[in-house]
């Protein structure tokens, strides 16, 4: 007959006083009947004060949304959407945030072109539109170069077979104004990730 692995042939080192104390510290109350247990678990389907319950539920949801918003802005992985999670996406965010991208000033340039179209001179309007198209081309070249350099750096850091496709993610982040990016930039300019 095999012995239980925890059993020993040695008598227990517990004294009589310790045994009594252990047994005395037990339940101390009779087992409740099934009816008593069910009654203790019962909760009304509809709360007594529905307006107060709705107000509490709204406050709890607002608190959860605020916590999620702050967590996402801070870059906390628990609150990020799936597209922003993972070490490679963090590396991409930090790399894009560390460099200046031409696309960051795309919105202010577009606003300037809109103002130039209000000028009654046809030549000024034409120059504004041509400058905007030239700026678009420069921004596209910038994000293409960014995509290639990021892919190369990701392969060096994470290995050839572990690299996700992140060029579009990097391009969309690079084309946004820095203060409007979510999650918020975690690095200063020039502080490239290692």
């Amino acid at each position: 007959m095999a012995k239980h692995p925890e059993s020993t042939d040695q008598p227990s080192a517990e004294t009589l006083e310790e045994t009594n104390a252990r047994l005395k510290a037990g339940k101390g109350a009779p087992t409740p009947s099934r009816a008593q247990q069910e009654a203790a678990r019962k909760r009304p389907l509809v709360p007594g004060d529905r307006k107060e319950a709705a107000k509490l539920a709204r406050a709890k949801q607002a608190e959860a949304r605020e916590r999620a918003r702050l967590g996402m802005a801070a870059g906390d992985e628990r609150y990020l959407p799936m597209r922003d999670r993972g070490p490679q996406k963090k590396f991409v965010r930090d790399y894009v945030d560390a460099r200046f991208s031409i696309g960051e000033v795309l919105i202010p340039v577009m606003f300037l072109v809109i103002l130039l179209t209000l000028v009654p001179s046809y030549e000024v309007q034409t120059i504004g539109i041509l400058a905007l198209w030239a700026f678009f081309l420069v921004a596209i070249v910038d994000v293409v170069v960014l995509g290639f350099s990021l892919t190369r750096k990701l392969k060096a850091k994470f290995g050839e077979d572990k690299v996700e496709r992140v060029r579009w993610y990097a391009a969309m982040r690079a084309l946004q104004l820095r203060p409007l990016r979510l999650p918020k930039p975690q690095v200063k300019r020039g502080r490239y990730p290692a």
Side-chain angles (χ1 to χ4, degrees):
M1 183 165 119
K3 287 188 178 182
H4 192 278
E6 294 176 357
S7 67
T8 61
D9 292 341
Q10 301 286 334
S12 173
E14 190 174 59
T15 65
L16 182 62
E17 292 84 21
E18 290 172 339
T19 304
N20 287 338
R22 182 174 50 83
L23 293 175
K24 204 177 237 187
K27 229 166 54 163
T31 303
S33 69
R34 182 175 184 164
Q36 289 172 332
Q37 288 178 333
E38 287 177 353
R41 281 195 307 263
K42 274 189 182 174
R43 280 179 253 140
L45 294 175
V46 180
D49 187 3
R50 292 176 68 173
K51 286 185 179 181
E52 186 64 29
K55 187 186 288 185
L56 286 173
R58 279 194 303 273
K60 193 181 285 188
Q61 287 174 344
E63 179 191 342
R65 278 193 305 273
E66 181 64 14
R67 197 174 336 115
R69 186 188 68 79
L70 291 174
M72 185 172 144
D76 188 350
E77 287 277 330
R78 293 174 295 173
Y79 299 108
L80 292 178
M82 286 306 295
R83 70 184 167 102
D84 293 327
R85 290 185 185 172
Q88 291 184 13
K89 297 291 177 77
K90 179 165 179 31
F91 182 86
V92 169
R93 284 194 305 270
D94 290 346
Y95 188 85
V96 170
D97 294 339
R99 75 190 282 271
F100 174 77
S101 299
I102 300 294
E104 289 181 42
V105 291
L106 187 62
I107 293 174
V109 167
M110 291 171 77
F111 184 71
L112 182 65
V113 169
I114 289 172
L115 291 179
L116 286 177
T117 58
L118 298 176
V119 175
S121 170
Y122 178 75
E123 292 82 22
V124 172
Q125 292 176 356
T126 305
I127 290 172
I129 296 295
L130 291 175
L132 179 63
W133 280 106
F135 192 81
F136 275 144
L137 291 174
V138 171
I140 288 171
V141 168
D142 182 46
V143 295
V144 168
V145 169
L146 170 68
F148 281 114
S149 66
L150 255 175
T151 303
R152 190 175 62 247
K153 290 185 185 305
L154 284 170
K155 285 180 182 177
K157 182 174 173 99
F158 294 103
E160 189 78 29
D161 57 337
K162 301 281 188 195
V163 176
E164 295 178 23
R165 297 173 67 179
V166 293
R167 287 183 184 171
W168 185 255
Y169 181 74
M172 290 300 101
R173 189 162 179 92
L175 292 174
Q176 292 176 341
L177 286 169
R178 186 176 167 92
L180 299 180
R181 294 176 182 165
L182 272 179
K184 297 280 184 199
Q186 304 292 315
V187 296
K188 294 191 182 300
R189 292 212 192 265
R191 302 280 182 153
Y192 291 93

